[in-house]
Amino acid sequence: MSAGDTHTLAEAVLSGSRRALARLLTRVEQAQPDAQDALSFLFPHTGHAHVIGITGAPGTGKSSLVNALAKAYRQQDKTVAIIAVDPTSPFTGGAILGDRIRMQDLSGDSGVFIRSMATRGNLGGLSRTTRDAIRVMDAAGFDIILVETVGAGQSEVDIVRTAQTTIVVEAPGLGDDVQAIKAGILEIADILVVNKADRPGATNTLRALKTMLELGHPTSRTQTTHHHGQLMAVEKPVTDTEAAFWLPPIVETVAVTDTSGTRGIDNLQQAIASHQAYLSDGPARAQHEYQRIEIELYERLQQTLIHRLRQQLSPDQLRQVIDRITARELDPQAAVDLLLESPSLEKTSSDVLQLPLSGS
Ligand SMILES: Nc1nc2c(ncn2[C@@H]2O[C@H](COP(=O)(O)OP(=O)(O)OP(=O)(O)O)[C@@H](O)[C@H]2O)c(=O)[nH]1
Ligand SMILES: [Mg+2]
């Protein structure tokens, strides 16, 4: 495909073609060199969508929630794009097949666009591809972009950082109450959901989450203190700086529709809207966006620099350096300095900012 074709494709995306959108997403996913041109072209048209990340342990009901949320947004006439990121299974994987079936009742609605991304062996890195896919969807004009990832490792945390609002989903009956929640995942939550509230144990999960939040969050209203040798809970006074913090609300939901119908989806939508309002209020927004872009920039710089180095160093050079470290002639940091100073690399530092960021 020529640069002109990519341009046409990107323009078709802007004018609302779903076919062009699907084709461009494939190019982005495969890290095709010309995809970068399209991304650059589309970038000025991004920044309008509200990107909502939904993460949590496997089977907590993320896809079911995405489905319910998408329907609720459609009822408000908002257009919705969905990205289900599966870091492990191949494209035909069971999880994604399951998602397709769960989200079937959304198909046929042109205001909804669903994309699964199975990214094992992905060329450009999982979080970068996800970010790029989100940007394409954003440029395509969707109001809401829902990104589902399994909250299991660092890469998922990275993906979630792409979102403006992050929802961490917990459910009862996944082992020892809150054990299923990794501390790192909890920290990134803007909203906590206890899904499967119809199941026994939901109250325990809710209570455990509340305790964890109250102990761990900077805006926590209650603090424990020792008083005459007894542990007591005390209320902290509200200060101005604290008012600028966001205390993650906990929302109970039932996401399945088969028997009793869904529950709490409206509350979840309200929590999302409140978070969006909080974000669009002055300093919080600027800070949030700055952080997200900073993370992305470092990630791209890192990938590009490493790629550039790999291209310029021969495997022999690398092997020699490793041998010298093994022989204790060089320490690893001195080796890094040496490699960066190598004459063949002189161009690297000055050229890096002009490099295309596709990394391919
Ligand atoms: N009882 C009950 N079951 C639910 C609820 N939400 C989802 N489920 C069921 O839980 C199972 C897992 O739901 P999914 O939506 O696929 O969960 P997930 O978190 O997307 O799963 P993975 O993507 O595989 O990690 C399915 O059988 C759902 O029908 C709920 O609110 N109550
Ligand atoms: Mg799922």
Side-chain angles (χ1 to χ4, degrees):
M1 189 180 254
S2 75
D5 288 337
T6 320
H7 200 256
T8 314
L9 202 55
E11 277 185 330
V13 167
L14 284 184
S15 60
S17 161
R18 296 290 186 259
R19 223 173 82 92
L21 175 60
R23 284 179 64 198
L24 186 54
L25 285 172
T26 303
R27 314 210 124 241
V28 165
E29 205 171 2
Q30 295 169 348
Q32 303 264 343
D34 58 3
Q36 187 53 51
D37 295 337
L39 286 165
S40 301
F41 173 77
L42 291 177
F43 187 71
H45 301 275
T46 63
H48 307 293
H50 186 188
V51 183
I52 303 167
I54 291 123
T55 193
T60 45
K62 299 178 293 298
S63 300
S64 309
L65 270 174
V66 163
N67 192 32
L69 271 177
K71 276 198 217 155
Y73 281 121
R74 287 304 292 138
Q75 275 166 15
Q76 299 174 351
D77 267 336
K78 289 183 172 158
T79 52
V80 182
I82 298 169
I83 308 182
V85 184
D86 189 321
T88 48
S89 61
F91 206 65
T92 50
I96 281 175
L97 213 61
D99 287 347
R100 283 259 162 81
I101 290 161
R102 267 188 273 298
M103 293 175 188
Q104 220 166 30
D105 40 346
L106 293 171
S107 64
D109 176 353
S110 66
V112 176
F113 184 90
I114 305 173
R115 182 78 181 198
S116 296
M117 295 218 304
T119 34
R120 185 162 61 183
N122 180 284
L123 292 170
L126 192 55
S127 50
R128 204 189 75 192
T129 314
T130 309
R131 272 192 195 99
D132 288 345
I134 289 169
R135 291 232 166 90
V136 173
M137 288 172 160
D138 188 349
F142 289 96
D143 300 312
I144 305 282
I145 301 175
L146 300 167
V147 186
E148 176 190 343
T149 63
V150 175
Q154 185 57 44
S155 66
E156 292 74 54
V157 173
D158 288 345
I159 293 165
V160 155
R161 279 177 172 157
T162 304
Q164 282 139 22
T165 302
T166 297
I167 301 174
V168 173
V169 185
E170 181 52 29
L174 287 169
D176 195 1
D177 285 338
V178 189
Q179 232 188 11
I181 305 171
K182 302 219 163 67
I185 289 280
L186 197 60
E187 266 165 37
I188 57 171
D190 297 310
I191 297 165
L192 284 155
V193 166
V194 177
N195 188 42
K196 306 194 185 181
D198 55 320
R199 289 266 190 89
T203 322
N204 284 345
T205 309
L206 188 76
R207 200 181 304 126
L209 267 183
K210 264 189 188 147
T211 310
M212 263 176 97
L213 257 193
E214 278 169 8
L215 290 176
H217 202 271
T219 59
S220 167
R221 291 266 60 77
T222 40
Q223 260 187 334
T224 48
T225 185
H226 284 279
H227 184 69
H228 297 305
Q230 274 197 314
L231 204 60
M232 290 182 58
V234 292
E235 295 278 309
K236 280 199 297 177
V238 183
T239 65
D240 278 354
T241 32
E242 281 184 350
F245 279 105
W246 168 261
L247 181 65
I250 307 178
V251 183
E252 281 184 284
T253 58
V254 177
V256 281
T257 39
D258 47 354
T259 47
S260 54
T262 61
R263 215 168 74 203
I265 303 302
D266 46 349
N267 290 341
L268 181 54
Q269 266 190 309
Q270 252 164 42
I272 295 169
S274 303
H275 187 249
Q276 191 178 24
Y278 157 79
L279 280 185
S280 53
D281 238 27
R285 186 197 177 87
Q287 196 191 358
H288 205 262
E289 173 136 42
Y290 186 95
Q291 276 174 356
R292 276 186 292 126
I293 289 178
E294 189 179 33
I295 290 168
E296 175 175 1
L297 192 63
Y298 277 121
E299 200 177 297
R300 285 182 193 266
L301 269 172
Q302 216 167 24
Q303 281 178 2
T304 309
L305 280 170
I306 291 277
H307 179 75
R308 189 68 179 242
L309 269 164
R310 285 242 165 89
Q311 275 187 327
Q312 302 204 8
L313 286 169
S314 69
D316 252 8
Q317 276 176 301
L318 271 175
R319 212 172 298 129
Q320 277 172 24
V321 168
I322 295 170
D323 284 343
R324 289 182 62 194
I325 301 173
T326 320
R328 300 294 185 275
E329 283 174 29
L330 253 186
D331 67 84
Q333 183 55 46
V336 167
D337 294 341
L338 188 79
L339 286 173
L340 289 173
E341 277 159 19
S342 138
S344 64
L345 294 173
E346 257 169 16
K347 279 172 65 208
T348 307
S349 52
S350 59
D351 282 357
V352 68
L353 291 175
Q354 293 154 32
L355 281 178
L357 291 175
S358 64
S360 48

